[in-house]
Amino acid sequence: MIEDKNPQRTPLSELGEFKLIEHLTQHFKVTQKSTIKSIGDDAAVLNYGKKQIVVSTDLLVEGVHFDLSYVPLKHLGYKAIVVNLSDVYAMNAMATQVTVSIAVSNRFPLEALEELYAGIETAAKLYNVDVVGGDTTSSTSGLIISVTAIGEVEKGDEVLRSGAKPNDLLVVTGDIGGAFMGLQVLEREKEVFKVNPNNQPDLSMYTYIVERQLKPEARKDIVELLKELNVKPTSMIDISDGLSSEVIHLCKQSKVGVDIYEDKIPLDPQVISTCEEFNIDSTTIALSGGEDYELLMTISQEDFPKIKGNPNLTVIGYMTSEDKGMHLVTRGETKIPIIAKGWNALKN
């Protein structure tokens, strides 16, 4: 057999994270009756008796997902747990256990890892999840953290990305854009520190957005709130890669279109003022920023009276038929196609 001397080499950056997963797993077949939902959602759903089990896993890599020059290890441990729990809550489920695995280089002393695990312990305690296992190994390229989150949900209560219907309302929790702007402030102060190591940054003007970056919170409270309000979303996803990317996932999985209204997108005043300082458009940040770990969901119009006026939930648009496409309706009432410009870890 003649060997191909010029094999095809496709850069991973051409695909991005989700297309890469889709491509690599396209031939995987579900053979177990207990597998209710496989690859393609925030978490997998497994059927084991009276309740459904929800499983999600995430990987955090030094130099790609975090920079230890300004991320305290305790905060990193906390965040590693929270970002995984967020995927469980995005399925309308409650998290119950996590496993934590790390690969670590010899530049980290025991005391550093104690700090990391103190953050993990704090998050586990606050969100009432048990750390039930994991693994440790050595690394030649810094710190790598892998967390698997497990949760449970009553049969029929799970919410997938694929249930949105035309005329459903598009709803977001909290406010968005803060985590990305917090990262911009930290990156700027890092560059200042490189020039003048004696300079101590004053972050008092940016406390909210810096906390959104270093210590995000998963919206467990929203799952509890929706149950209290007797509202079951028709679809849901967490905002980890930017609003535009997540909206596109919902639309593609549900085979619908969307109109998002620019003037309805919830922005904290600190996000707006920091965007002005950095000369960045706040709407662009809201659409493309990512790492907010808020929940994006669709609900039927019949449920609107139940959420009306609730400070945790904001209606930012509505779903349309698939042929109408995905659009942002600007303050000037111009329709602009929504393009995924969120976080892509596979870019150079």
Side-chain angles (χ1 to χ4, degrees):
M1 189 171 178
I2 299 172
E3 183 182 350
D4 185 356
K5 299 295 184 183
N6 297 295
Q8 183 178 350
R9 296 177 63 86
T10 305
L12 297 182
S13 57
E14 281 188 15
L15 285 84
E17 178 187 356
F18 294 100
K19 284 185 179 177
L20 175 62
I21 293 171
E22 188 180 316
H23 178 80
L24 294 178
T25 61
Q26 61 183 315
H27 302 301
F28 287 8
K29 304 295 182 188
V30 172
T31 60
Q32 299 293 325
K33 289 182 180 179
S34 54
T35 304
I36 305 302
K37 178 64 183 177
S38 182
I39 297 162
D41 223 293
D42 284 278
V45 182
L46 311 177
N47 181 18
Y48 286 105
K50 293 182 180 179
K51 289 191 176 182
Q52 314 269 36
I53 303 301
V54 174
V55 183
S56 178
T57 191
D58 245 326
L59 200 60
L60 297 175
V61 179
E62 184 179 354
V64 178
H65 300 100
F66 58 89
D67 185 335
L68 289 178
S69 65
Y70 53 73
V71 177
L73 283 165
K74 189 171 183 178
H75 286 71
L76 178 61
Y78 188 94
K79 184 174 181 177
I81 299 300
V82 165
V83 301
N84 279 269
L85 301 186
S86 182
D87 283 332
V88 173
Y89 301 137
M91 305 296 290
N92 202 36
M94 296 305 289
T96 50
Q97 291 93 10
V98 294
T99 65
V100 182
S101 297
I102 63 168
V104 62
S105 68
N106 58 12
R107 85 173 198 269
F108 291 90
L110 172 63
E111 290 74 14
L113 297 187
E114 286 175 343
E115 277 290 292
L116 179 73
Y117 273 75
I120 291 170
E121 181 187 7
T122 300
K125 196 178 294 183
L126 184 63
Y127 286 91
N128 192 29
V129 297
D130 295 330
V131 181
V132 295
D135 191 20
T136 58
T137 188
S138 61
S139 163
T140 58
S141 57
L143 178 62
I144 301 170
I145 308 169
S146 175
V147 177
T148 296
I150 303 163
E152 59 184 32
V153 61
E154 296 286 346
K155 279 187 180 178
D157 285 350
E158 70 275 9
V159 176
L160 308 180
R161 299 175 181 178
S162 54
K165 302 286 188 296
N167 298 318
D168 280 354
L169 301 176
L170 184 65
V171 178
V172 69
T173 66
D175 56 79
I176 52 181
F180 182 83
M181 291 314 298
L183 179 63
Q184 302 315 299
V185 169
L186 291 168
E187 286 284 350
R188 180 184 67 183
E189 295 307 320
K190 176 185 173 181
E191 294 305 313
V192 171
F193 181 79
K194 283 180 183 177
V195 176
N196 182 9
N198 295 319
N199 183 68
Q200 288 299 312
D202 179 10
L203 301 177
S204 58
M205 291 172 55
Y206 312 103
T207 50
Y208 177 68
I209 60 175
V210 168
E211 184 171 348
R212 293 283 279 178
Q213 171 57 221
L214 295 181
K215 187 179 168 290
E217 301 295 349
R219 298 310 303 260
K220 175 184 179 181
D221 61 315
I222 296 298
V223 180
E224 296 166 334
L225 174 65
L226 292 172
K227 201 165 189 178
E228 285 175 23
L229 296 175
N230 193 28
V231 172
K232 182 190 174 186
T234 54
S235 68
M236 189 153 59
I237 191 172
D238 79 326
I239 303 176
S240 55
D241 298 317
L243 179 62
S244 61
S245 293
E246 314 305 2
V247 164
I248 289 171
H249 289 318
L250 287 186
C251 288
K252 287 186 174 179
Q253 295 271 343
S254 297
K255 294 181 169 51
V256 292
V258 70
D259 281 345
I260 298 177
Y261 289 85
E262 182 182 21
D263 61 349
K264 300 296 184 185
I265 298 174
L267 299 170
D268 187 86
Q270 204 169 98
V271 172
I272 296 170
S273 62
T274 310
C275 282
E276 289 173 354
E277 182 185 342
F278 277 75
N279 196 26
I280 306 174
D281 178 62
S282 58
T283 301
T284 301
I285 296 312
L287 289 171
S288 305
E291 285 203 293
D292 291 303
Y293 300 103
E294 296 292 344
L295 295 177
L296 179 71
M297 70 191 79
T298 54
I299 66 168
S300 65
Q301 293 207 24
E302 288 73 21
D303 283 332
F304 176 67
K306 299 176 185 176
I307 71 160
K308 186 179 179 182
N310 192 297
N312 294 287
L313 303 167
T314 304
V315 178
I316 62 171
Y318 65 95
M319 313 314 282
T320 61
S321 58
E322 189 176 20
D323 61 292
K324 290 188 177 177
M326 299 171 279
H327 295 94
L328 174 74
V329 182
T330 69
R331 292 182 179 88
E333 298 187 1
T334 302
K335 279 192 174 185
I336 301 172
I338 295 173
I339 302 168
K341 288 185 177 178
W343 163 250
N344 179 3
L346 298 174
K347 284 185 178 178
N348 292 331

